[in-house]
Amino acid sequence: MSGAESKVMKAVLTDFGGVLTSNVFEAFEVYSASVSGDPQMFAKLFRTDAAAGALLVEHECGRIDQAAFERGIAELLAPRGVVLEAPGFVDSFQALLRPDEVMIAAIKRLRAAGVPVAIVSNSLGDDCYRGYDLAELADVAVISGEVGMRKPSRGIYELACARLGVAPVECVMIDDLEHNLRGAERLGIRGLHHVEAGRTVTELGEWFSIPV
């Protein structure tokens, strides 16, 4: 990475689940296995079933609440022999997630050094940030269910940048899903694919010339 690139970076946009928490995919696998015996059950459902995908979009955009989302998914899975607790299975899944203290500490150090931070998150569940103080973690939080847009829509990244008062080309976006980064990059935001906290922290330190 060149020094020129590091100097233009002024702000950080970050995903929540899977970046500031433990791995979302692993949690889904654990929960899927617990209710169906197949760790890939939920991944297959949202990848191959259009109705399931539509329910997820509607919920993440805030057009249906958690209870309606859960009922819809339970109804789709019942003919396949999978019985879900509805309402309640979203909470059961989220209980498997834990804070990623390394990433949280790095974000706090960036903010303490004067780097503006926005959380840009597709929300799953009506209270999916319970136990986290988003105002302590970030300058702004742009939550899909509150703003009616979801990643990788350009609009949600534009809104985050506007609320921070920075241009997209001055921002880094951290996400564990590469297709979300592609959406951000269409605006000129630099994408940082989060796989492991140590690597992400190292790259942030290089971009912002700050020991994080």
Side-chain angles (χ1 to χ4, degrees):
M1 181 181 309
S2 72
E5 286 179 332
S6 65
K7 289 178 182 177
V8 300
M9 297 294 100
K10 293 184 179 179
V12 171
L13 314 182
T14 181
D15 183 26
F16 180 79
V19 174
L20 302 184
T21 75
S22 53
N23 192 296
V24 170
F25 306 111
E26 291 176 0
F28 261 124
E29 289 178 0
V30 170
Y31 183 69
S32 292
S34 73
V35 297
S36 71
D38 178 5
Q40 298 300 317
M41 185 269 292
F42 271 106
K44 293 174 186 173
L45 179 71
F46 290 117
R47 187 171 61 245
T48 64
D49 191 305
L55 283 167
L56 182 62
V57 170
E58 290 297 291
H59 176 53
E60 288 185 338
C61 288
R63 292 188 285 267
I64 61 174
D65 63 11
Q66 178 178 331
F69 171 71
E70 290 177 321
R71 284 194 302 271
I73 296 299
E75 289 169 2
L76 291 175
L77 288 174
R80 309 177 196 199
V82 178
V83 178
L84 292 181
E85 178 187 358
F89 76 80
V90 168
D91 294 335
S92 297
F93 155 72
Q94 288 176 336
L96 298 170
L97 297 173
R98 296 289 180 268
D100 187 320
E101 299 295 354
V102 173
M103 283 300 304
I104 288 173
I107 292 299
K108 287 182 176 179
R109 286 194 293 271
L110 283 169
R111 289 190 72 205
V115 176
V117 173
I119 290 173
V120 186
S121 175
N122 287 350
S123 51
L124 181 64
D126 295 342
D127 195 15
C128 56
Y129 308 101
R130 181 175 57 247
Y132 296 87
D133 186 344
L134 298 189
E136 180 185 5
L137 291 173
D139 298 279
V140 300
V142 182
I143 309 301
S144 66
E146 297 175 359
V147 301
M149 298 179 286
R150 67 194 285 270
K151 297 179 294 184
S153 166
R154 291 166 57 105
I156 196 167
Y157 306 113
E158 289 174 327
L159 180 59
C161 292
R163 288 184 176 180
L164 285 181
V166 294
V169 294
E170 299 173 321
C171 297
V172 174
M173 175 72 202
I174 311 167
D175 208 294
D176 58 335
L177 289 175
E178 288 190 275
H179 71 266
N180 287 339
L181 297 178
R182 301 294 85 78
E185 288 168 351
R186 290 197 296 268
L187 292 172
I189 297 169
R190 294 189 181 277
L192 175 49
H193 185 209
H194 177 76
V195 177
E196 186 273 325
R199 192 178 85 180
T200 297
V201 169
T202 296
E203 294 198 42
L204 287 171
E206 292 174 356
W207 256 321
F208 292 93
S209 299
I210 294 170
V212 296

